[in-house]
Amino acid sequence: MSGAPFSSGGAVRGRVRVRRGLWRRSPRPWGVLVTPWIYLAPALVVLGGLLVYPVYQLGLISFLEYTQAQVSGGEPATFQGLGNYATLFGDPEFWRVLLATVVFAGACVVSTLAVGCALAVLLTRVRAVPRLALMLAALGAWATPAVTGSTVWLLLFDPDFGPVNRMLGLGDHSWTYGRYSAFLLVLLEVVWCSFPFVMVTVYAGIRAVPTEVLEAAALDGASQWRTWRSVLAPMLRPILVVVTIQSVIWDFKVFTQIYVMTNGGGIAGQNLVLNVYAYQKAFASSQYSLGSAIGVVMLLILLAVTLVYLRLLRRQGEEL
């Protein structure tokens, strides 16, 4: 019994010597930390030029008095501090447009996720030929430029020559005249050109789920909706996080569809969203500083939404 402590201490000292020897032979910690950044340096330089500098210029102009007089060089740019933001937040139209943008973007995100996820599940249930046809049709919608897609949708819903009104028996009903019908028309076009990304991404995630899990759910008598809600959705949550954040960013800054389909924001600006509102302030009214302030507000809102969403998932124990 008296030799046990001694032998235990000797074993501990031996392990310490071995670990010290391994530590001396291992590469330096700073080398391990620096090497990834060396490989990322080219991409970071490109991102810095394409993202950081424009954001810096956007923020700088939002603090200046920058109109057509300053652009042409007739007058020097003067520092306004938070004056542009005070003017913006004191404008009731800004808050109306912000509310419309949030509601419209939320409806687009929910609709896009619903359609994309439903079609992704459908792809796993059909045979190879229908699956290929659906994939090609979806990729065609995804590859169509926004201007072209918006023009085609306007022709489909044209009050005089559009086939949709004839099929529905609506006569010469104008979809772009009313505020809500115009937003609905733009929403349909946004979902049409956005759901392929969700569909393909979620479909790839479903194909990665072990078949044993789905077979077990089927043997337990789970319906398609119950299988999605209780089995697939929890397993695909990291993928759903990515497509949700991407959809929020894309749909919150929709510009082309609104501008083309409502002719610049609708009658008396009834279909304005923040991106079109910023365009009108900056280029139609030559108030570049106010347009930049709107852009900064949009950037902060998107960052806040993304960070809050990721934080909530972290609290639920999700690894992203």
Side-chain angles (χ1 to χ4, degrees), residues 79-102:
F79 183 73
Q80 297 292 315
L82 298 177
N84 292 320
Y85 293 95
T87 302
L88 186 65
F89 295 150
D91 187 1
E93 186 180 14
F94 167 76
W95 296 105
R96 180 182 66 82
V97 173
L98 176 61
L99 177 61
T101 304
V102 171

Side-chain angles (χ1 to χ4, degrees), residues 28-46:
R28 290 183 176 181
W30 65 268
V32 176
L33 295 175
V34 170
T35 301
W37 291 103
I38 295 177
Y39 289 107
L40 290 174
L44 292 177
V45 171
V46 174

